[in-house]
Amino acid sequence: MAKNKPTNQKYWEALKRKTLIESTAASLRLSGINITEKEVERIIDEAKTSSISDKDLNKILSPKQLAVWEYLQKIDETTTGEIIKKTKIARPTVKQVLDKLLRFKKIERIGLGRSTRYRKL
């Protein structure tokens, strides 16, 4: 075991946060979105305390993710299957954006399992 390896919890949490911010910013820039690490950090902090703004949401979602978000804004409630049919976007992408929108407090999940529905807040 290395002698100088940091073992405290705060160090690892700070490193995890830094990595999350850097990788998110890099991924967004690769997809053509002009965003700084400071902007990503602000959005992440905002999402922890309140619902993220639509302006910021539009900035950080990919075009396919935006298509799912735009569909959700037009309907009262829907299922994952309905989203897939209407947007013609693959299930993994739909699930990913639903998870992201749940974390950002933009939608709510109703029910569990096959009967799960989603509704815009």
Side-chain angles (χ1 to χ4, degrees):
M1 185 175 202
K3 289 183 179 181
N4 294 330
K5 245 187 176 175
T7 56
N8 84 34
Q9 184 78 15
K10 287 182 183 181
Y11 170 82
W12 292 111
E13 287 175 10
L15 185 60
K16 181 180 173 184
R17 178 179 167 80
K18 181 177 186 253
T19 304
L20 170 68
I21 291 166
E22 289 173 352
S23 65
T24 302
S27 295
L28 290 168
R29 285 191 294 266
L30 282 172
S31 67
I33 298 169
N34 187 16
I35 193 165
T36 65
E37 289 175 8
K38 281 288 186 196
E39 287 176 296
V40 170
E41 184 174 19
R42 180 187 57 77
I43 291 167
I44 289 170
D45 290 341
E46 182 180 308
K48 284 183 181 176
T49 58
S50 65
S51 179
I52 191 168
S53 73
D54 285 352
K55 179 184 171 189
D56 285 337
L57 192 63
N58 289 335
K59 196 172 192 178
I60 63 172
L61 293 180
S62 72
K64 287 182 181 181
Q65 292 173 336
L66 271 175
V68 172
W69 172 236
E70 288 167 0
Y71 174 71
L72 287 167
Q73 292 182 74
K74 295 176 188 174
I75 48 89
D76 291 330
E77 285 185 10
T78 190
T79 64
T80 304
E82 290 169 356
I83 297 169
I84 292 165
K85 286 178 189 173
K86 296 292 184 179
T87 62
K88 297 184 179 16
I89 295 173
R91 180 175 296 277
T93 303
V94 170
K95 296 294 262 178
Q96 178 189 48
V97 73
L98 290 172
D99 288 342
K100 192 177 279 193
L101 292 171
L102 284 165
R103 283 194 315 269
F104 290 154
K105 300 175 183 100
K106 299 305 276 184
I107 61 171
E108 67 178 333
R109 180 182 291 135
I110 303 162
L112 293 171
R114 297 184 78 136
S115 64
T116 302
R117 301 186 65 73
Y118 298 91
R119 174 175 45 209
K120 182 180 182 261
L121 293 176

